[in-house]
Structure formats: structure tokens, C-alpha cells
Amino acid sequence: MSLKTLILAAGKGTRMKSELPKVLHKVCGVPMVQKIVDTCSKIGSIENILILGHKKEEVLKLFQNSEYVVQNEQLGTGHAVIQAKEKLKGFNGTVMILCGDTPLLREETLKKLYNYHKSTEATTTILTSIYQNPFGYGRIVKKSGEVVGVIEEKEATDEIKAIKEVNAGVYCFEVKELLSALEKIDNKNEKGEYYLTDVISINVKAGKKVEAFLLEDNDEILGINSKIELEKANNIMRNRINNQHMENGVIFIDKNATYIEENVKIGQDTIIYPGVILEGNTAIGENCEILGNTRIIDCKIGNNVRIESSVLEESVVENRVTIGPFAHLRPKSHLKEEVHIGNFVEVKKSTLEKGVKAGHLTYIGDATVGEKTNIGAGTITCNYDGKNKFKTTIGKNAFIGSDTMLVAPVSIGENALVGAGSVITKDVPENALAVSRSKQVIKFDWRK
Ligand code: UD1
Ligand code: CA
């Protein structure tokens, strides 16, 4: 395929009122320019060229190996494209130009646009949509059904403003015609910018074939210029993501009350309750129940897992585990099959083998806990001396009585028993009982 894409991402995004470059704002967890580049990579483009300017170092962090061109001063979308002249010269094919602020465009749409452009043998094809409130977009001006030009909001007369067909900011150009038209654009307009959209009327006047490709789902072309539009885009994307999960067999109690990022995977018949937030590269298995106010970030969760009102970060949870309410898994925790952690239990960088139970008010950090061991309420692995972290090892079938302090480094043998209220500073051998607390004293009739 002789197609290249050019992605305009040099603008500051003044209307966004943000320190962060506009194109780095995220829609359902993915920076919008990243989303556009990913979509472009799927349509068979042989090269994606980015136009960068404002805070380009920050944007480049996402695209270590990408082709890019710098636009030092942001003098308009036409000026931005001119910066890529050297990269396009000599390329005898089609260039698709897109804006870095339209992340909702779908792969199929771009493919359809390209196919339409090819099949009509146009030199220029512009993606358009009908908007009931077209404010802010360039309007498509037609005469007897043919495109004659694009007029920007700022230049538009009342008559033009009434036009509802708008420019999506996506175009296919035959490179030769694009480059020769770009020589003719100027900045004699209200904004004092070089408009890429002027290329349309220049090509029409030169007798070149210019086509408009009308898109039905106008949600797709939403250009994000402000935080209000950003929220709108997040909503649309969230809806798309949640619908896709439902099509795959996931159950939502209220799809509008959950936030799930784009790369999350969820298995069939898993139920997502209101207030659930799933982020990053999280994968959840089948038949799970994820209940209210749970946030899961970059975790791998097995099948038949139940999680209620808990926070899980960068951890692995195996089949039939139950978590919460109010538990916290911090990074590098691994809960094997049938583990249960309950109210106010925090686990960090620890492995809990099959069937371990820690029902209440416990901190397990830098530890391994053997199969079927029971950790009583209020147990704490004291893993930190203010400078260094130390490990706690607990064997299988052990029983740690309530309110135990395990002062690491320390190990508790298989089948050992630790009496409630103990402070354990020395290793406990297997099958042993360890108690470390002052003896109870009774003084009869003391209160009399
Ligand atoms: C542009 C179109 C408008 C269209 C709308 C669709 C022009 C003149 N207008 O308007 O017809 O309806 O998009 O969303 O093209 N950029 C640069 N360098 C610059 C200026 C902008 O790289 O000098 C980049 C921005 O980073 C952005 C994109 O180009 O990603 C579009 O710029 P923006 O200012 O948002 O254009 P609109 O006013 O929305
Ligand atoms: Ca825009």
C-alpha cells in the first residue's frame, strides 16, 4: 500500500488551559495522540510521521522510534504540514493527514476513507460529518453537490455558519497535488494562520478532483480542544469500551457508573458493579464478581474471584480468591488459589500460598505464607527498621494468633502455633508453640 500518515501534534492547545500538551491528555487511559498513532498503524500505512512542536520532548517520550518533524512556531495546520515537505517529496502515493486531537476515529473509518479516495481517483478527499451544533469546526462549502472549499468558524458569514456539514480534520491527499497547493496558501485570515483547509479550494480551482466522504457516526470526529470536550470524549470512549465488554459476555449492573480503560480484558459472565475502576493492563478472568468502589490497576485476576470495595495494584490473584471489603494489595503481591483476605488487610510484595486466610486488620509485607496458614486479626509483619526491609517466612498450616508482631527477619515453621498477643523476634521451629507475652496476674478483690 502506498500510504503514509501525517499526524499534526505541534499545537499548544490553548483552549485546554493546561500545562500538559493537549495531545497527551488521556482518553480512557490512553494519550490521545497515542490512540491516533495506534489506529494509523492498523490501516496499513507504511510510515506515520508526527509533527511536533510545543513541549515536543514530552510527546516524544511516547514515540521513541517514530518519524517526526519539528514545527518550531505554531503558525497553523497548513504551516505544520509544510514542515514535512522534505519527508513527503518524492513519495508517489497518498498521505493521510490527521489531527492529534481526534482520538475517537476508528480504524474502519480511516480504511473506508482511504478506499473511497482510491476508488474515486480523487486528488483530495476530506472526511466530513453532519453536526447539529457545528460551532468551532470548519464548514464544508458545496456548489451543486460538489465541494468547493472549507471555511473556518472565524471566517464564516452567518450563511456559512448555518452549514452543518463539518471538516473532521482528516484528509487523503495525493502527495504531488498537496505539495503544489501548499505553495499557494497564505495567512491572510482572521487568525493570521496558514490553514491547511485552504488547500481544498486551491485544488478545486486548479481543476483537481476533490471529494468529501461523509461519516455517519459523528461522535468519531470529535476534536478535543477543551476540558469539556475531553470529558465528552471520555464518555463516548467509555461507552464504546463497556459495550464491547458486554458483547464479549461481561455483565454490567450500570455501565455508566464504571470506568474501564482501553487495554483491560474481562472474561465471560464476570459481573461489574457500580463504582468499579479498572485501569492499565488489567486482565480479569471469568465468573468473577467485582463489587462497588473497587479500583484495580495492572493486575492479573483469575476465574471465580470475588472482590469488594478494595484497591489492587500490580498484583496477581489466582482462581477462587476472595478479597475485601476494604483490602489493599500493593505491588508484587501474589495470592494463590482460594486465598481469603478480608477487612483492612494490606499485602505488599508477598506471596500467599493456596488457601491462606487473613480475615481482619493485618499487614503482610515482604513475606511468604505457606499453604492453608491462618493469620489472626491484628497480625503485623514488622518488615522495616527505618532503613532496611526484612523478610518474614511462614510455613504451611501454621496458626498465627491475633495481635501478633512478627519482627523480621524471622521465620515461622510449618504447623507452628503463635499465641495471641506475641511479639516474635526469634525463629519458631515447626510444630512448636511460641508465646511471648507477660503472664496474666489476678489480684482478688482488688476493687473492693
Ligand atoms: C481544525 C480545522 C477545522 C476542523 C477541525 C477538526 C484548520 C485550519 N482547521 O480546526 O477545519 O473542523 O480541525 O477538529 O485546519 N497543529 C499543529 N500546528 C499548528 C496548529 C495546529 O501541529 O500550527 C495541530 C494541533 O496540535 C492539533 C491539530 O493540528 O492536533 C488541529 O489544530 P487545532 O488548533 O485544534 O485546529 P481546529 O481549530 O480545531
Ligand atoms: Ca481541534
PDB file of all heavy atoms in Angstrom, residues 117-143:
ATOM      1  N   HIS A 117     -11.198   7.300  -1.378  1.00  0.00           N
ATOM      2  CA  HIS A 117     -10.247   8.199  -2.052  1.00  0.00           C
ATOM      3  C   HIS A 117      -9.651   7.511  -3.277  1.00  0.00           C
ATOM      4  O   HIS A 117      -9.567   8.085  -4.356  1.00  0.00           O
ATOM      5  CB  HIS A 117      -9.152   8.589  -1.060  1.00  0.00           C
ATOM      6  CG  HIS A 117      -8.047   9.405  -1.641  1.00  0.00           C
ATOM      7  ND1 HIS A 117      -8.200  10.736  -1.938  1.00  0.00           N
ATOM      8  CD2 HIS A 117      -6.766   9.080  -1.986  1.00  0.00           C
ATOM      9  CE1 HIS A 117      -7.052  11.199  -2.439  1.00  0.00           C
ATOM     10  NE2 HIS A 117      -6.173  10.215  -2.478  1.00  0.00           N
ATOM     11  N   LYS A 118      -9.282   6.249  -3.087  1.00  0.00           N
ATOM     12  CA  LYS A 118      -8.668   5.498  -4.201  1.00  0.00           C
ATOM     13  C   LYS A 118      -9.695   5.210  -5.287  1.00  0.00           C
ATOM     14  O   LYS A 118      -9.413   5.362  -6.475  1.00  0.00           O
ATOM     15  CB  LYS A 118      -8.080   4.178  -3.661  1.00  0.00           C
ATOM     16  CG  LYS A 118      -6.764   4.379  -2.965  1.00  0.00           C
ATOM     17  CD  LYS A 118      -5.736   4.678  -4.012  1.00  0.00           C
ATOM     18  CE  LYS A 118      -4.482   5.293  -3.464  1.00  0.00           C
ATOM     19  NZ  LYS A 118      -3.637   5.910  -4.477  1.00  0.00           N
ATOM     20  N   SER A 119     -10.894   4.785  -4.871  1.00  0.00           N
ATOM     21  CA  SER A 119     -11.869   4.345  -5.878  1.00  0.00           C
ATOM     22  C   SER A 119     -12.406   5.513  -6.698  1.00  0.00           C
ATOM     23  O   SER A 119     -12.779   5.353  -7.848  1.00  0.00           O
ATOM     24  CB  SER A 119     -13.007   3.571  -5.224  1.00  0.00           C
ATOM     25  OG  SER A 119     -13.742   4.456  -4.422  1.00  0.00           O
ATOM     26  N   THR A 120     -12.437   6.707  -6.101  1.00  0.00           N
ATOM     27  CA  THR A 120     -12.925   7.864  -6.871  1.00  0.00           C
ATOM     28  C   THR A 120     -11.792   8.530  -7.657  1.00  0.00           C
ATOM     29  O   THR A 120     -12.032   9.454  -8.413  1.00  0.00           O
ATOM     30  CB  THR A 120     -13.538   8.933  -5.944  1.00  0.00           C
ATOM     31  OG1 THR A 120     -12.540   9.284  -4.978  1.00  0.00           O
ATOM     32  CG2 THR A 120     -14.777   8.423  -5.236  1.00  0.00           C
ATOM     33  N   GLU A 121     -10.581   8.063  -7.446  1.00  0.00           N
ATOM     34  CA  GLU A 121      -9.394   8.645  -8.070  1.00  0.00           C
ATOM     35  C   GLU A 121      -9.286  10.146  -7.818  1.00  0.00           C
ATOM     36  O   GLU A 121      -8.869  10.922  -8.676  1.00  0.00           O
ATOM     37  CB  GLU A 121      -9.361   8.334  -9.577  1.00  0.00           C
ATOM     38  CG  GLU A 121      -9.193   6.838  -9.814  1.00  0.00           C
ATOM     39  CD  GLU A 121      -9.168   6.460 -11.298  1.00  0.00           C
ATOM     40  OE1 GLU A 121      -9.438   7.338 -12.144  1.00  0.00           O
ATOM     41  OE2 GLU A 121      -8.864   5.294 -11.568  1.00  0.00           O
ATOM     42  N   ALA A 122      -9.696  10.547  -6.628  1.00  0.00           N
ATOM     43  CA  ALA A 122      -9.610  11.968  -6.271  1.00  0.00           C
ATOM     44  C   ALA A 122      -8.156  12.318  -5.943  1.00  0.00           C
ATOM     45  O   ALA A 122      -7.355  11.438  -5.620  1.00  0.00           O
ATOM     46  CB  ALA A 122     -10.484  12.240  -5.052  1.00  0.00           C
ATOM     47  N   THR A 123      -7.837  13.610  -6.013  1.00  0.00           N
ATOM     48  CA  THR A 123      -6.505  14.035  -5.566  1.00  0.00           C
ATOM     49  C   THR A 123      -6.590  14.417  -4.089  1.00  0.00           C
ATOM     50  O   THR A 123      -5.603  14.425  -3.381  1.00  0.00           O
ATOM     51  CB  THR A 123      -6.005  15.267  -6.336  1.00  0.00           C
ATOM     52  OG1 THR A 123      -6.921  16.340  -6.094  1.00  0.00           O
ATOM     53  CG2 THR A 123      -5.914  15.004  -7.810  1.00  0.00           C
ATOM     54  N   THR A 124      -7.835  14.753  -3.677  1.00  0.00           N
ATOM     55  CA  THR A 124      -8.069  15.207  -2.316  1.00  0.00           C
ATOM     56  C   THR A 124      -9.399  14.651  -1.842  1.00  0.00           C
ATOM     57  O   THR A 124     -10.396  14.796  -2.543  1.00  0.00           O
ATOM     58  CB  THR A 124      -8.178  16.756  -2.295  1.00  0.00           C
ATOM     59  OG1 THR A 124      -7.009  17.296  -2.894  1.00  0.00           O
ATOM     60  CG2 THR A 124      -8.346  17.290  -0.890  1.00  0.00           C
ATOM     61  N   THR A 125      -9.404  14.018  -0.671  1.00  0.00           N
ATOM     62  CA  THR A 125     -10.684  13.604  -0.087  1.00  0.00           C
ATOM     63  C   THR A 125     -10.700  14.054   1.353  1.00  0.00           C
ATOM     64  O   THR A 125      -9.742  13.866   2.094  1.00  0.00           O
ATOM     65  CB  THR A 125     -10.869  12.074  -0.164  1.00  0.00           C
ATOM     66  OG1 THR A 125     -10.716  11.683  -1.527  1.00  0.00           O
ATOM     67  CG2 THR A 125     -12.243  11.657   0.331  1.00  0.00           C
ATOM     68  N   ILE A 126     -11.804  14.662   1.735  1.00  0.00           N
ATOM     69  CA  ILE A 126     -11.917  15.214   3.075  1.00  0.00           C
ATOM     70  C   ILE A 126     -13.004  14.461   3.834  1.00  0.00           C
ATOM     71  O   ILE A 126     -14.068  14.197   3.286  1.00  0.00           O
ATOM     72  CB  ILE A 126     -12.171  16.743   2.975  1.00  0.00           C
ATOM     73  CG1 ILE A 126     -12.359  17.365   4.348  1.00  0.00           C
ATOM     74  CG2 ILE A 126     -13.349  17.095   2.083  1.00  0.00           C
ATOM     75  CD1 ILE A 126     -12.267  18.900   4.292  1.00  0.00           C
ATOM     76  N   LEU A 127     -12.709  14.086   5.048  1.00  0.00           N
ATOM     77  CA  LEU A 127     -13.689  13.372   5.867  1.00  0.00           C
ATOM     78  C   LEU A 127     -14.623  14.397   6.506  1.00  0.00           C
ATOM     79  O   LEU A 127     -14.162  15.355   7.133  1.00  0.00           O
ATOM     80  CB  LEU A 127     -12.975  12.566   6.946  1.00  0.00           C
ATOM     81  CG  LEU A 127     -13.851  11.708   7.859  1.00  0.00           C
ATOM     82  CD1 LEU A 127     -14.467  10.542   7.099  1.00  0.00           C
ATOM     83  CD2 LEU A 127     -13.040  11.181   9.042  1.00  0.00           C
ATOM     84  N   THR A 128     -15.921  14.195   6.346  1.00  0.00           N
ATOM     85  CA  THR A 128     -16.877  15.175   6.874  1.00  0.00           C
ATOM     86  C   THR A 128     -17.950  14.484   7.704  1.00  0.00           C
ATOM     87  O   THR A 128     -18.098  13.265   7.666  1.00  0.00           O
ATOM     88  CB  THR A 128     -17.579  15.960   5.745  1.00  0.00           C
ATOM     89  OG1 THR A 128     -18.511  15.092   5.081  1.00  0.00           O
ATOM     90  CG2 THR A 128     -16.591  16.519   4.745  1.00  0.00           C
ATOM     91  N   SER A 129     -18.677  15.319   8.436  1.00  0.00           N
ATOM     92  CA  SER A 129     -19.774  14.791   9.234  1.00  0.00           C
ATOM     93  C   SER A 129     -20.827  15.874   9.405  1.00  0.00           C
ATOM     94  O   SER A 129     -20.526  17.061   9.287  1.00  0.00           O
ATOM     95  CB  SER A 129     -19.226  14.355  10.586  1.00  0.00           C
ATOM     96  OG  SER A 129     -20.214  13.665  11.280  1.00  0.00           O
ATOM     97  N   ILE A 130     -22.050  15.450   9.697  1.00  0.00           N
ATOM     98  CA  ILE A 130     -23.121  16.431   9.923  1.00  0.00           C
ATOM     99  C   ILE A 130     -23.246  16.655  11.424  1.00  0.00           C
ATOM    100  O   ILE A 130     -23.423  15.706  12.187  1.00  0.00           O
ATOM    101  CB  ILE A 130     -24.480  15.911   9.394  1.00  0.00           C
ATOM    102  CG1 ILE A 130     -24.378  15.457   7.937  1.00  0.00           C
ATOM    103  CG2 ILE A 130     -25.591  16.939   9.621  1.00  0.00           C
ATOM    104  CD1 ILE A 130     -24.350  16.554   6.913  1.00  0.00           C
ATOM    105  N   TYR A 131     -23.116  17.906  11.832  1.00  0.00           N
ATOM    106  CA  TYR A 131     -23.225  18.254  13.248  1.00  0.00           C
ATOM    107  C   TYR A 131     -24.397  19.201  13.453  1.00  0.00           C
ATOM    108  O   TYR A 131     -24.499  20.207  12.762  1.00  0.00           O
ATOM    109  CB  TYR A 131     -21.940  18.984  13.688  1.00  0.00           C
ATOM    110  CG  TYR A 131     -20.997  18.133  14.504  1.00  0.00           C
ATOM    111  CD1 TYR A 131     -20.905  16.772  14.293  1.00  0.00           C
ATOM    112  CD2 TYR A 131     -20.194  18.720  15.489  1.00  0.00           C
ATOM    113  CE1 TYR A 131     -20.035  15.999  15.049  1.00  0.00           C
ATOM    114  CE2 TYR A 131     -19.315  17.950  16.243  1.00  0.00           C
ATOM    115  CZ  TYR A 131     -19.245  16.594  16.018  1.00  0.00           C
ATOM    116  OH  TYR A 131     -18.382  15.839  16.765  1.00  0.00           O
ATOM    117  N   GLN A 132     -25.239  18.883  14.417  1.00  0.00           N
ATOM    118  CA  GLN A 132     -26.360  19.804  14.681  1.00  0.00           C
ATOM    119  C   GLN A 132     -25.821  21.104  15.271  1.00  0.00           C
ATOM    120  O   GLN A 132     -26.332  22.182  14.987  1.00  0.00           O
ATOM    121  CB  GLN A 132     -27.408  19.159  15.604  1.00  0.00           C
ATOM    122  CG  GLN A 132     -28.299  18.138  14.898  1.00  0.00           C
ATOM    123  CD  GLN A 132     -28.725  18.552  13.490  1.00  0.00           C
ATOM    124  OE1 GLN A 132     -29.284  19.642  13.282  1.00  0.00           O
ATOM    125  NE2 GLN A 132     -28.458  17.710  12.490  1.00  0.00           N
ATOM    126  N   ASN A 133     -24.778  21.001  16.070  1.00  0.00           N
ATOM    127  CA  ASN A 133     -24.136  22.210  16.578  1.00  0.00           C
ATOM    128  C   ASN A 133     -22.697  22.253  16.060  1.00  0.00           C
ATOM    129  O   ASN A 133     -21.781  21.791  16.722  1.00  0.00           O
ATOM    130  CB  ASN A 133     -24.172  22.218  18.103  1.00  0.00           C
ATOM    131  CG  ASN A 133     -23.468  23.445  18.665  1.00  0.00           C
ATOM    132  OD1 ASN A 133     -23.161  24.388  17.917  1.00  0.00           O
ATOM    133  ND2 ASN A 133     -23.187  23.431  19.951  1.00  0.00           N
ATOM    134  N   PRO A 134     -22.517  22.806  14.858  1.00  0.00           N
ATOM    135  CA  PRO A 134     -21.209  22.715  14.205  1.00  0.00           C
ATOM    136  C   PRO A 134     -20.197  23.755  14.673  1.00  0.00           C
ATOM    137  O   PRO A 134     -19.091  23.829  14.133  1.00  0.00           O
ATOM    138  CB  PRO A 134     -21.558  22.939  12.733  1.00  0.00           C
ATOM    139  CG  PRO A 134     -22.765  23.800  12.765  1.00  0.00           C
ATOM    140  CD  PRO A 134     -23.524  23.477  14.011  1.00  0.00           C
ATOM    141  N   PHE A 135     -20.541  24.497  15.715  1.00  0.00           N
ATOM    142  CA  PHE A 135     -19.689  25.592  16.186  1.00  0.00           C
ATOM    143  C   PHE A 135     -18.233  25.146  16.358  1.00  0.00           C
ATOM    144  O   PHE A 135     -17.953  24.120  16.964  1.00  0.00           O
ATOM    145  CB  PHE A 135     -20.214  26.162  17.510  1.00  0.00           C
ATOM    146  CG  PHE A 135     -19.362  27.268  18.042  1.00  0.00           C
ATOM    147  CD1 PHE A 135     -19.517  28.567  17.561  1.00  0.00           C
ATOM    148  CD2 PHE A 135     -18.359  27.022  18.985  1.00  0.00           C
ATOM    149  CE1 PHE A 135     -18.711  29.592  18.023  1.00  0.00           C
ATOM    150  CE2 PHE A 135     -17.543  28.049  19.449  1.00  0.00           C
ATOM    151  CZ  PHE A 135     -17.724  29.333  18.971  1.00  0.00           C
ATOM    152  N   GLY A 136     -17.331  25.938  15.811  1.00  0.00           N
ATOM    153  CA  GLY A 136     -15.903  25.687  16.012  1.00  0.00           C
ATOM    154  C   GLY A 136     -15.238  24.895  14.896  1.00  0.00           C
ATOM    155  O   GLY A 136     -14.026  24.948  14.740  1.00  0.00           O
ATOM    156  N   TYR A 137     -16.033  24.162  14.152  1.00  0.00           N
ATOM    157  CA  TYR A 137     -15.460  23.344  13.078  1.00  0.00           C
ATOM    158  C   TYR A 137     -15.429  24.129  11.763  1.00  0.00           C
ATOM    159  O   TYR A 137     -16.211  25.055  11.560  1.00  0.00           O
ATOM    160  CB  TYR A 137     -16.304  22.082  12.867  1.00  0.00           C
ATOM    161  CG  TYR A 137     -16.146  21.070  13.972  1.00  0.00           C
ATOM    162  CD1 TYR A 137     -16.953  21.135  15.104  1.00  0.00           C
ATOM    163  CD2 TYR A 137     -15.189  20.076  13.890  1.00  0.00           C
ATOM    164  CE1 TYR A 137     -16.804  20.221  16.132  1.00  0.00           C
ATOM    165  CE2 TYR A 137     -15.033  19.147  14.915  1.00  0.00           C
ATOM    166  CZ  TYR A 137     -15.839  19.226  16.034  1.00  0.00           C
ATOM    167  OH  TYR A 137     -15.691  18.319  17.047  1.00  0.00           O
ATOM    168  N   GLY A 138     -14.548  23.728  10.862  1.00  0.00           N
ATOM    169  CA  GLY A 138     -14.555  24.268   9.506  1.00  0.00           C
ATOM    170  C   GLY A 138     -15.787  23.737   8.780  1.00  0.00           C
ATOM    171  O   GLY A 138     -16.142  22.569   8.928  1.00  0.00           O
ATOM    172  N   ARG A 139     -16.482  24.624   8.027  1.00  0.00           N
ATOM    173  CA  ARG A 139     -17.698  24.183   7.312  1.00  0.00           C
ATOM    174  C   ARG A 139     -17.365  23.793   5.871  1.00  0.00           C
ATOM    175  O   ARG A 139     -16.525  24.426   5.222  1.00  0.00           O
ATOM    176  CB  ARG A 139     -18.746  25.292   7.275  1.00  0.00           C
ATOM    177  CG  ARG A 139     -19.088  25.901   8.602  1.00  0.00           C
ATOM    178  CD  ARG A 139     -19.696  24.918   9.589  1.00  0.00           C
ATOM    179  NE  ARG A 139     -20.474  25.657  10.570  1.00  0.00           N
ATOM    180  CZ  ARG A 139     -19.958  26.340  11.582  1.00  0.00           C
ATOM    181  NH1 ARG A 139     -18.663  26.353  11.773  1.00  0.00           N
ATOM    182  NH2 ARG A 139     -20.737  27.002  12.414  1.00  0.00           N
ATOM    183  N   ILE A 140     -18.043  22.764   5.410  1.00  0.00           N
ATOM    184  CA  ILE A 140     -17.838  22.280   4.043  1.00  0.00           C
ATOM    185  C   ILE A 140     -18.769  23.068   3.112  1.00  0.00           C
ATOM    186  O   ILE A 140     -19.997  22.976   3.227  1.00  0.00           O
ATOM    187  CB  ILE A 140     -18.173  20.773   3.939  1.00  0.00           C
ATOM    188  CG1 ILE A 140     -17.392  19.975   4.994  1.00  0.00           C
ATOM    189  CG2 ILE A 140     -17.917  20.262   2.526  1.00  0.00           C
ATOM    190  CD1 ILE A 140     -15.876  19.997   4.866  1.00  0.00           C
ATOM    191  N   VAL A 141     -18.172  23.833   2.222  1.00  0.00           N
ATOM    192  CA  VAL A 141     -18.979  24.623   1.292  1.00  0.00           C
ATOM    193  C   VAL A 141     -19.084  23.853  -0.011  1.00  0.00           C
ATOM    194  O   VAL A 141     -18.073  23.426  -0.584  1.00  0.00           O
ATOM    195  CB  VAL A 141     -18.334  26.013   1.050  1.00  0.00           C
ATOM    196  CG1 VAL A 141     -19.230  26.875   0.172  1.00  0.00           C
ATOM    197  CG2 VAL A 141     -18.058  26.691   2.384  1.00  0.00           C
ATOM    198  N   LYS A 142     -20.341  23.650  -0.462  1.00  0.00           N
ATOM    199  CA  LYS A 142     -20.557  22.883  -1.687  1.00  0.00           C
ATOM    200  C   LYS A 142     -21.341  23.708  -2.693  1.00  0.00           C
ATOM    201  O   LYS A 142     -22.155  24.563  -2.300  1.00  0.00           O
ATOM    202  CB  LYS A 142     -21.337  21.599  -1.368  1.00  0.00           C
ATOM    203  CG  LYS A 142     -20.498  20.534  -0.675  1.00  0.00           C
ATOM    204  CD  LYS A 142     -21.317  19.297  -0.393  1.00  0.00           C
ATOM    205  CE  LYS A 142     -20.420  18.145   0.038  1.00  0.00           C
ATOM    206  NZ  LYS A 142     -21.178  16.985   0.520  1.00  0.00           N
ATOM    207  N   LYS A 143     -21.077  23.457  -3.973  1.00  0.00           N
ATOM    208  CA  LYS A 143     -21.913  24.052  -5.039  1.00  0.00           C
ATOM    209  C   LYS A 143     -22.386  22.909  -5.908  1.00  0.00           C
ATOM    210  O   LYS A 143     -21.575  22.081  -6.312  1.00  0.00           O
ATOM    211  CB  LYS A 143     -21.081  25.050  -5.860  1.00  0.00           C
ATOM    212  CG  LYS A 143     -21.226  26.460  -5.381  1.00  0.00           C
ATOM    213  CD  LYS A 143     -20.921  27.497  -6.453  1.00  0.00           C
ATOM    214  CE  LYS A 143     -20.873  28.878  -5.813  1.00  0.00           C
ATOM    215  NZ  LYS A 143     -19.541  29.477  -5.885  1.00  0.00           N
TER     216      LYS A 143
END
